[in-house]
Every structure is written in structure tokens, then in C-alpha cells.
Amino acid sequence: MDSGAGRGRSGSGSGSSAGSSGSALAAAGAPGSASAGSPRSAGALVPAALPGMPGYDPADLYAFDRPGMVSPVIAAALPRVYVPNTESDTVTVIDPSDYRVVETMKVGHEPQHVVPSWDLKTLWVNNDLGNSLTPIDPFTGKPGAPIPVHDPYNLYFTPDGASAVVMASKDMQLVFRDPHTMAIQKILPVPCEGVNHADFSPNGAYFIVSCEFSGQLLKVDTKTRTLLGVLDLPQRGAMPQDVKISPDGKVFYIADMVANGLWTVDGDAFKVTGLIPTGRGAHGLYVSRDSTTMYVSNRGEGTITLFDFATAKPRTKWQIPNGGSPDMGGVSADGKVLWLSGRYNAEVYAISTTDGHLLARIPVGRGPHGLAVYPQPGRYSLGHTGVFR
């Protein structure tokens, strides 16, 4: 299972800028917004396959994730980093402006990820062994009453906002639920072990899911909520982790902590096209605010690989001073800071995206995992630690 105090700031530099800075985003179909527009080419958006899903830019699926393009829905949200500590049953809350821990809140048993809702208005703590979701109000930073949900290892949202998708890893199910009440809509049993991460095709018609313990991928029809196929990765013992689609929508990248790199997958044909080495324990995948680079956390060697989308090759690698275990995280709203949890070191890393130097090393609870940086640019959330479009 993707499983996995003392030291303070180790450098200088500005933290994550408040998501409320810069111009607010207005985009067609975005929750709470009214006017249409594209950051680069108004009118160039392509209609989606799902009713209710906002149109998209086929040249850059992350075109609405530029610095300052924070939805007006969450313009007043508190700039915070929420860190679920799997072994402490807590969430550490960090003020990114000064890297200070401002609160540690008790949640359910074994929180794995903090996930922004599709409409951006709620942050859901996935209490996996506690069988519940704890909502956090991003405007106050305070938790609400937990909602019973069985085995919520990870959480995604369909691009039309119609369903939450619970990655029920131990139950071997994808559970489609009402995105607000979490009432069950449909249960899809899956023939693989360890369903955990996913990403969607450009038009939202299907999504690809990694199965960590069986070394397989699933292709799922978003509209009918049915299984379209199962794909075995071509390496014995493969352990696929995070999934991320390229900006042009042509390639799915799958981090694999045993293969120590990225599998490339043709989503339409549903076939593996290659393996790109990055580092030991390749784990989390995060796209830069200009859509040129993907940050790959290599948990087994304490490094971050910068993968260049244009050349489809690693460009360079950053080493965390004195080592560490970089896992899941996110990029600040202004794109200047990469935040990653240190799964086996009870700490969080704030890393400058300018040159890779460590801005801060922040002690948190035990087993920090899928932290959420909030707010971030984008019209809506697809889930996980913050996959925005």
C-alpha cells in the first residue's frame, strides 16, 4: 500500500503565495463562475464527452492551472498545507507563508490523503482504516463531522462532478458515490489488488487506474461506470503508483516504485509503450504551473526527477539534503514551491522549483502521506491530493 519534530527551517525563500492573489479565474462550466474564457485562446475549448464537464484545451489540459488562476469559489480560502499523518491519526496544518505548524487536528484512523472536492468547497480526509471521510472547511480550516465511508484509501471525482470515486483498495472496488452526501451510486468490483491512483482522458470518457499490489492497470468507462479492460505491466513485481496524463493528452505516465521510473501508456489503445527510468521508488507525479515539467518524487533515494514533457526525457534531478523519503504532495498556487511529505521521516519538504534547494523541513506526525496544498488554480478538482483542470 503506497505506505509506507525537531528540525526546522533549513533555508530561506518565500513560501506558497496565497491562492487569493492574482486575478481570479472565470471559466465556462466552472463551479461558481459565470463567464467563459481560456487563459490563452478564448473560444478554443473543446466540448467534453460528459454533460456537465467543462470544455478543455486539447493543446494543454492544464491550461487553467496557471499562477493566479484561482477560482472565485475559493478565492477567500485560507492558504494552508494539510498533511495526513497515517500513523498518528492526525492532520498537521501548515501556514505556507512562514512554514509554521498552526494546528494539529485529530481525525479518523489511518488518514491517507486530503482531497479537494470537485466543487472545490470541501477538503476530504480519507480515513482508510477508520472507514470515514472527515470534511475540512477550507475557509476556516476546521474539520466537520465525519461521514461513514468504507475503505476510502483514496478519492477521485468524475470530471462532470456527478460522482465521487472511492478507491476501496482492500475491498477491491471502485465505489461511485454522491459527491456531497457520499451515498452509494454504484459499486464496481475490480479484478486487481490495491486500486489507488487514477487520471482521466482529455474528454473525460474514461479513466485509468493503477493497482499497486497486482502490477496492473484498469481502464474504466466514466459514463457507464464499467470496466473496459485490464492491463498487466511488463515487469514482474511491478508496483504502479501515481497516474498523470501529459498536457497534450496523448500519454499516461504511471510511476512505479519497483520499476524505478515511469511507464508510458497509450490510453486509447490501452497498451504500454515504454519505461522511463527516474529513480528508486518513483512515486508521486506533479505538473509545473507552466505545463512544461513533471516533478517525480523518488521515495527510495530522496530525490525529485524533473521530467521534460517536450523531450519526454528526465532533465535533471534534485537531491534532498541529508536524504529523505519524498512521497505525495503538490505545487503551490504560484508554482514556486513543491511540497512533498516525507513518508518515513515524519517531516514535510518545501522545495524551491527555481533551483531545487530545500526551503524548509517541517516536523509533522508519523507517516505523513497525501498532503494537500490549498487553494490552487483550476476550475474543478479531479481528486487525489489536488488534480485540477
Side-chain angles (χ1 to χ4, degrees):
M1 176 70 52
D2 192 22
S3 59
R7 285 165 293 177
R9 193 180 305 185
S10 63
S12 60
S14 62
S16 167
S17 70
S20 56
S21 65
S23 61
L25 171 67
S33 66
S35 59
S38 161
R40 292 186 295 111
S41 54
L45 301 185
V46 174
L50 303 172
M53 174 183 165
Y56 64 95
D57 182 345
D60 185 358
L61 302 180
Y62 304 99
F64 288 92
D65 294 352
R66 299 286 185 263
M69 298 180 70
V70 173
S71 168
V73 170
I74 52 168
L78 294 171
R80 294 287 185 266
V81 177
Y82 298 90
V83 187
N85 303 305
T86 58
E87 298 174 25
S88 300
D89 296 342
T90 58
V91 169
T92 300
V93 184
I94 299 170
D95 183 338
S97 67
D98 58 6
Y99 312 112
R100 182 174 55 91
V101 173
V102 296
E103 183 177 2
T104 300
M105 62 178 73
K106 192 72 175 176
V107 293
H109 189 25
E110 198 174 281
Q112 292 285 356
H113 302 90
V114 176
V115 177
S117 63
W118 184 85
D119 66 5
L120 309 174
K121 297 178 181 177
T122 305
L123 298 170
W124 293 103
V125 182
N126 304 168
N127 304 310
D128 190 20
L129 296 186
N131 296 317
S132 66
L133 298 175
T134 299
I136 295 176
D137 183 337
F139 301 99
T140 65
K142 300 301 181 185
I147 295 179
V149 169
H150 199 263
D151 191 18
Y153 176 75
N154 206 349
L155 183 65
Y156 285 82
F157 293 88
T158 56
D160 56 1
S163 300
V165 186
V166 172
M167 300 289 166
S169 177
K170 291 181 293 295
D171 291 343
M172 296 177 66
Q173 296 173 341
L174 300 182
V175 184
F176 295 81
R177 292 176 175 267
D178 181 283
H180 301 289
T181 67
M182 296 297 164
I184 293 176
Q185 297 172 333
K186 179 179 179 178
I187 297 175
L188 175 61
V190 296
C192 69
E193 299 178 356
V195 288
N196 52 31
H197 299 94
D199 205 350
F200 292 81
S201 63
N203 65 3
Y206 66 84
F207 58 104
I208 289 178
V209 182
S210 61
C211 300
E212 177 176 359
F213 299 132
S214 61
Q216 295 172 305
L217 304 176
L218 306 177
K219 184 175 180 178
V220 180
D221 187 298
T222 310
K223 192 172 184 179
T224 63
R225 306 168 186 176
T226 55
L227 192 61
L228 297 173
V230 180
L231 182 63
D232 294 322
L233 290 171
Q235 177 167 325
R236 187 172 183 177
M239 295 187 75
Q241 306 291 315
D242 207 356
V243 181
K244 202 73 69 186
I245 195 169
S246 60
D248 63 7
K250 296 180 179 178
V251 181
F252 283 85
Y253 294 97
I254 320 291
D256 190 317
M257 62 185 296
V258 169
N260 299 322
L262 306 177
W263 296 106
T264 55
V265 173
D266 180 328
D268 290 348
F270 200 38
K271 67 177 183 180
V272 174
T273 57
L275 175 65
I276 302 169
T278 59
R280 283 191 290 114
H283 219 82
L285 305 175
Y286 304 99
V287 177
S288 64
R289 291 271 168 251
D290 60 4
S291 302
T292 65
T293 304
M294 183 162 63
Y295 306 108
V296 184
S297 61
N298 303 309
R299 192 173 72 185
E301 61 180 39
T303 66
I304 295 93
T305 294
L306 276 64
F307 178 80
D308 189 299
F309 283 119
T311 63
K313 296 179 180 177
R315 186 167 65 241
T316 190
K317 186 182 287 188
W318 295 333
Q319 176 74 55
I320 295 175
N322 302 315
S325 50
D327 197 290
M328 295 295 179
V331 178
S332 63
D334 62 10
K336 296 181 179 179
V337 182
L338 173 64
W339 290 85
L340 294 171
S341 59
R343 189 68 182 269
Y344 300 130
N345 299 79
E347 59 192 11
V348 163
Y349 315 108
I351 301 165
S352 168
T353 58
T354 301
D355 57 12
H357 82 273
L358 190 64
L359 297 168
R361 193 170 205 141
I362 305 163
V364 295
R366 298 190 307 274
H369 190 207
L371 67 77
V373 181
Y374 213 71
Q376 292 192 51
R379 300 168 296 172
Y380 60 95
S381 165
L382 292 174
H384 190 34
T385 59
V387 182
F388 301 95
R389 296 285 192 271

